[in-house]
Amino acid sequence: EVQLVQSGAEVKKPGESLRISCQSSGYKFPDYQIGWVRQMPGNGLEWMGRINPSGSYTNYNPSFQGHVTFSVDKSISTAYLHWGSLKASDTAIYYCARIKGVHFDSWGQGTLVTVSS
Amino acid sequence: DIQMTQSPSSLSASLGDRVTITCQASHDISINLHWYQQRPGKAPKLLIYDASILQTGVPVRFSGSGSGTDFTFTISSLQPEDFATYYCQHYDNFPMYSFGQGTKVEIK
Protein backbone atom coordinates (compact mmCIF):
# COMPACT_ATOMS: atom_id res chain seq x y z
CA GLU A 1 0.00 0.00 0.00
CA VAL A 2 1.29 3.41 -0.98
CA GLN A 3 1.65 5.67 2.06
CA LEU A 4 2.96 9.18 2.57
CA VAL A 5 3.36 10.00 6.24
CA GLN A 6 4.02 13.58 7.24
CA SER A 7 5.58 15.00 10.37
CA GLY A 8 3.44 16.41 13.14
CA ALA A 9 1.92 19.82 13.76
CA GLU A 10 4.23 22.73 14.44
CA VAL A 11 3.81 26.03 16.29
CA LYS A 12 6.43 28.64 15.46
CA LYS A 13 7.11 32.35 15.84
CA PRO A 14 7.53 34.76 12.91
CA GLY A 15 11.12 34.75 11.68
CA GLU A 16 11.85 31.21 12.83
CA SER A 17 12.90 28.45 10.45
CA LEU A 18 11.11 25.15 9.98
CA ARG A 19 11.44 21.91 8.08
CA ILE A 20 8.58 19.43 7.73
CA SER A 21 8.88 15.96 6.29
CA CYS A 22 7.00 13.47 4.13
CA GLN A 23 8.12 9.83 4.26
CA SER A 24 7.02 7.52 1.45
CA SER A 25 6.52 3.78 1.57
CA GLY A 26 4.86 1.03 -0.45
CA TYR A 27 6.37 1.99 -3.79
CA LYS A 28 9.72 2.67 -5.42
CA PHE A 29 10.61 6.17 -4.27
CA PRO A 30 12.84 6.87 -7.32
CA ASP A 31 9.90 6.35 -9.70
CA TYR A 32 7.74 9.36 -8.71
CA GLN A 33 8.09 13.06 -8.09
CA ILE A 34 6.68 14.63 -4.93
CA GLY A 35 4.56 17.75 -4.94
CA TRP A 36 3.66 20.11 -2.10
CA VAL A 37 0.23 21.75 -1.70
CA ARG A 38 -0.86 24.49 0.70
CA GLN A 39 -4.30 24.93 2.18
CA MET A 40 -4.80 28.10 4.17
CA PRO A 41 -7.58 28.14 6.80
CA GLY A 42 -10.96 27.86 5.12
CA ASN A 43 -9.43 28.06 1.65
CA GLY A 44 -8.79 25.84 -1.34
CA LEU A 45 -5.73 23.98 -2.59
CA GLU A 46 -2.64 25.74 -3.94
CA TRP A 47 0.21 23.93 -5.66
CA MET A 48 3.55 25.09 -4.22
CA GLY A 49 5.94 23.11 -6.37
CA ARG A 50 7.53 19.73 -6.93
CA ILE A 51 10.83 17.91 -6.59
CA ASN A 52 12.17 14.88 -8.40
CA PRO A 53 13.13 11.85 -6.29
CA SER A 54 16.88 12.42 -6.62
CA GLY A 55 16.51 16.04 -5.52
CA SER A 56 18.31 17.30 -8.60
CA TYR A 57 15.33 19.11 -10.12
CA THR A 58 12.69 21.37 -8.63
CA ASN A 59 9.85 23.53 -9.92
CA TYR A 60 8.33 26.24 -7.76
CA ASN A 61 5.04 28.03 -8.18
CA PRO A 62 6.18 31.68 -8.57
CA SER A 63 3.94 32.56 -5.62
CA PHE A 64 6.23 30.52 -3.34
CA GLN A 65 9.59 30.86 -5.11
CA GLY A 66 12.29 32.21 -2.82
CA HIS A 67 10.28 31.64 0.36
CA VAL A 68 10.38 27.85 0.56
CA THR A 69 12.86 25.16 -0.41
CA PHE A 70 12.29 21.51 -1.27
CA SER A 71 14.77 18.71 -0.64
CA VAL A 72 14.85 14.93 -0.43
CA ASP A 73 16.80 12.22 1.37
CA LYS A 74 16.38 9.29 -0.98
CA SER A 75 18.13 6.94 1.47
CA ILE A 76 15.04 7.16 3.68
CA SER A 77 12.46 7.93 0.95
CA THR A 78 11.68 11.29 2.52
CA ALA A 79 10.88 14.68 1.05
CA TYR A 80 11.18 17.94 2.97
CA LEU A 81 9.66 21.40 2.83
CA HIS A 82 11.78 24.12 4.42
CA TRP A 83 11.21 27.74 5.42
CA GLY A 84 14.13 29.96 6.33
CA SER A 85 12.00 32.69 7.90
CA LEU A 86 8.34 32.06 8.66
CA LYS A 87 5.58 34.66 8.42
CA ALA A 88 2.17 34.68 10.08
CA SER A 89 0.68 34.21 6.61
CA ASP A 90 2.40 30.81 6.39
CA THR A 91 -0.19 29.46 8.83
CA ALA A 92 -1.80 26.63 6.87
CA ILE A 93 -2.00 22.89 6.36
CA TYR A 94 0.71 21.58 4.04
CA TYR A 95 0.24 18.38 2.08
CA CYS A 96 2.76 16.31 0.19
CA ALA A 97 1.47 14.21 -2.67
CA ARG A 98 2.86 11.67 -5.10
CA ILE A 99 2.78 12.93 -8.65
CA LYS A 100 1.66 10.49 -11.29
CA GLY A 101 2.14 12.26 -14.57
CA VAL A 102 -0.17 15.24 -14.42
CA HIS A 103 -2.16 14.49 -11.27
CA PHE A 104 -1.64 13.56 -7.60
CA ASP A 105 -2.56 9.96 -6.87
CA SER A 106 -1.60 9.61 -3.19
CA TRP A 107 -1.51 12.23 -0.44
CA GLY A 108 0.05 12.64 2.96
CA GLN A 109 -2.23 13.32 5.91
CA GLY A 110 -1.15 16.97 6.09
CA THR A 111 0.96 18.99 8.52
CA LEU A 112 -0.59 21.97 10.30
CA VAL A 113 1.85 24.85 10.65
CA THR A 114 0.85 27.70 12.96
CA VAL A 115 2.94 30.86 12.97
CA SER A 116 2.09 33.28 15.73
CA SER A 117 3.92 35.67 18.01
CA ASP B 1 -2.02 30.56 -18.73
CA ILE B 2 -5.28 28.64 -18.65
CA GLN B 3 -8.06 29.72 -16.30
CA MET B 4 -10.26 27.10 -14.68
CA THR B 5 -13.77 27.98 -13.48
CA GLN B 6 -15.46 25.49 -11.17
CA SER B 7 -19.15 25.78 -10.29
CA PRO B 8 -21.12 25.93 -8.19
CA SER B 9 -19.05 26.99 -5.17
CA SER B 10 -21.51 25.14 -2.95
CA LEU B 11 -24.66 23.11 -3.20
CA SER B 12 -27.19 21.48 -0.90
CA ALA B 13 -28.49 18.03 -1.69
CA SER B 14 -30.30 15.12 -0.08
CA LEU B 15 -29.26 11.52 0.27
CA GLY B 16 -29.89 9.69 -2.98
CA ASP B 17 -29.77 12.85 -5.10
CA ARG B 18 -27.81 13.10 -8.33
CA VAL B 19 -25.17 15.82 -7.99
CA THR B 20 -23.32 17.51 -10.83
CA ILE B 21 -20.31 19.83 -10.66
CA THR B 22 -18.72 21.52 -13.65
CA CYS B 23 -15.26 22.78 -14.46
CA GLN B 24 -14.65 25.01 -17.46
CA ALA B 25 -11.26 25.78 -19.00
CA SER B 26 -10.46 29.01 -20.84
CA HIS B 27 -8.72 27.02 -23.59
CA ASP B 28 -8.80 23.49 -24.95
CA ILE B 29 -7.11 21.19 -22.42
CA SER B 30 -8.07 17.87 -24.06
CA ILE B 31 -8.72 15.43 -21.19
CA ASN B 32 -6.15 16.93 -18.82
CA LEU B 33 -8.64 17.33 -15.97
CA HIS B 34 -8.79 15.47 -12.65
CA TRP B 35 -11.20 15.41 -9.70
CA TYR B 36 -10.52 15.15 -5.95
CA GLN B 37 -12.65 14.77 -2.84
CA GLN B 38 -11.70 16.38 0.44
CA ARG B 39 -13.70 15.38 3.48
CA PRO B 40 -13.62 17.77 6.47
CA GLY B 41 -10.31 17.57 8.29
CA LYS B 42 -8.88 15.07 5.82
CA ALA B 43 -6.42 15.09 2.96
CA PRO B 44 -7.67 15.29 -0.62
CA LYS B 45 -8.26 12.01 -2.42
CA LEU B 46 -8.05 11.39 -6.16
CA LEU B 47 -11.38 10.16 -7.56
CA ILE B 48 -11.21 10.66 -11.34
CA TYR B 49 -8.23 11.25 -13.61
CA ASP B 50 -7.94 12.12 -17.30
CA ALA B 51 -11.50 13.47 -17.19
CA SER B 52 -13.30 10.13 -16.93
CA ILE B 53 -11.12 7.34 -15.53
CA LEU B 54 -12.15 6.12 -12.10
CA GLN B 55 -9.24 5.74 -9.69
CA THR B 56 -8.85 2.21 -8.32
CA GLY B 57 -11.13 1.58 -5.36
CA VAL B 58 -13.43 4.55 -5.96
CA PRO B 59 -17.16 3.68 -5.98
CA VAL B 60 -18.84 3.61 -9.38
CA ARG B 61 -21.43 6.20 -8.32
CA PHE B 62 -18.70 8.74 -9.09
CA SER B 63 -18.11 9.59 -12.75
CA GLY B 64 -16.53 12.24 -14.92
CA SER B 65 -16.99 13.34 -18.49
CA GLY B 66 -15.93 15.98 -20.94
CA SER B 67 -13.02 17.07 -23.07
CA GLY B 68 -11.72 20.30 -24.51
CA THR B 69 -13.09 23.11 -22.34
CA ASP B 70 -16.13 21.67 -20.53
CA PHE B 71 -16.04 18.97 -17.88
CA THR B 72 -18.61 17.42 -15.58
CA PHE B 73 -18.27 15.47 -12.34
CA THR B 74 -21.31 13.47 -11.21
CA ILE B 75 -22.34 11.58 -8.11
CA SER B 76 -25.23 9.39 -9.23
CA SER B 77 -26.77 8.79 -5.80
CA LEU B 78 -25.43 10.86 -2.91
CA GLN B 79 -24.32 8.87 0.13
CA PRO B 80 -23.61 10.18 3.67
CA GLU B 81 -19.85 9.88 3.20
CA ASP B 82 -19.99 12.03 0.04
CA PHE B 83 -20.58 15.28 1.89
CA ALA B 84 -17.26 16.94 1.22
CA THR B 85 -15.55 19.52 -0.95
CA TYR B 86 -14.65 18.57 -4.51
CA TYR B 87 -11.88 20.10 -6.59
CA CYS B 88 -10.98 19.88 -10.26
CA GLN B 89 -7.30 20.11 -11.19
CA HIS B 90 -5.44 20.79 -14.42
CA TYR B 91 -1.80 20.60 -15.46
CA ASP B 92 -0.28 23.22 -17.74
CA ASN B 93 3.20 24.54 -18.47
CA PHE B 94 2.48 27.49 -16.16
CA PRO B 95 1.76 27.46 -13.31
CA MET B 96 1.81 23.72 -13.72
CA TYR B 97 -0.70 22.20 -11.33
CA SER B 98 -3.76 24.38 -10.72
CA PHE B 99 -6.92 23.59 -8.78
CA GLY B 100 -10.44 24.83 -9.21
CA GLN B 101 -12.00 26.91 -6.45
CA GLY B 102 -13.80 23.92 -4.95
CA THR B 103 -17.43 22.89 -4.55
CA LYS B 104 -18.74 22.20 -1.07
CA VAL B 105 -21.51 19.58 -1.07
CA GLU B 106 -23.72 20.01 1.99
CA ILE B 107 -26.72 18.23 3.43
CA LYS B 108 -30.10 19.75 2.56
Coordinates of all heavy atoms in Angstrom, one line a residue, chain B residues 15 30 35 42 44 82 86:
Chain B
L15 N -29.7 12.9 0.5 CA -29.3 11.5 0.3 C -30.0 10.9 -0.9 O -31.2 11.1 -1.0 CB -29.5 10.6 1.5 CG -28.6 11.0 2.7 CD1 -28.9 10.1 3.9 CD2 -27.1 10.9 2.4
S30 N -7.9 19.3 -23.7 CA -8.1 17.9 -24.1 C -8.8 17.2 -22.9 O -9.8 17.6 -22.5 CB -6.7 17.3 -24.4 OG -6.9 15.9 -24.8
W35 N -10.3 15.1 -10.8 CA -11.2 15.4 -9.7 C -10.8 14.8 -8.4 O -10.4 13.6 -8.3 CB -12.6 14.9 -10.0 CG -13.2 15.6 -11.2 CD1 -13.2 15.2 -12.5 CD2 -13.9 16.9 -11.2 NE1 -13.9 16.1 -13.3 CE2 -14.3 17.2 -12.5 CE3 -14.2 17.8 -10.2 CZ2 -15.0 18.3 -12.9 CZ3 -14.9 19.0 -10.6 CH2 -15.3 19.2 -11.9
K42 N -9.6 16.1 6.5 CA -8.9 15.1 5.8 C -8.1 15.6 4.6 O -8.4 16.7 4.1 CB -9.8 13.9 5.4 CG -10.6 13.3 6.5 CD -9.6 12.6 7.5 CE -10.4 11.8 8.5 NZ -9.5 11.2 9.5
P44 N -7.0 15.6 0.6 CA -7.7 15.3 -0.6 C -7.4 13.9 -1.1 O -6.4 13.2 -0.7 CB -7.0 16.3 -1.6 CG -6.5 17.4 -0.7 CD -6.0 16.7 0.5
D82 N -20.3 11.2 1.2 CA -20.0 12.0 0.0 C -20.1 13.5 0.3 O -19.7 14.3 -0.5 CB -20.9 11.7 -1.2 CG -20.8 10.3 -1.6 OD1 -19.8 9.6 -1.3 OD2 -21.8 9.8 -2.3
Y86 N -15.2 19.2 -3.3 CA -14.7 18.6 -4.5 C -13.9 19.6 -5.3 O -14.3 20.7 -5.5 CB -15.8 17.9 -5.3 CG -16.4 16.8 -4.6 CD1 -17.5 17.0 -3.7 CD2 -16.0 15.5 -4.8 CE1 -18.0 16.0 -3.0 CE2 -16.6 14.4 -4.1 CZ -17.6 14.7 -3.2 OH -18.1 13.7 -2.5

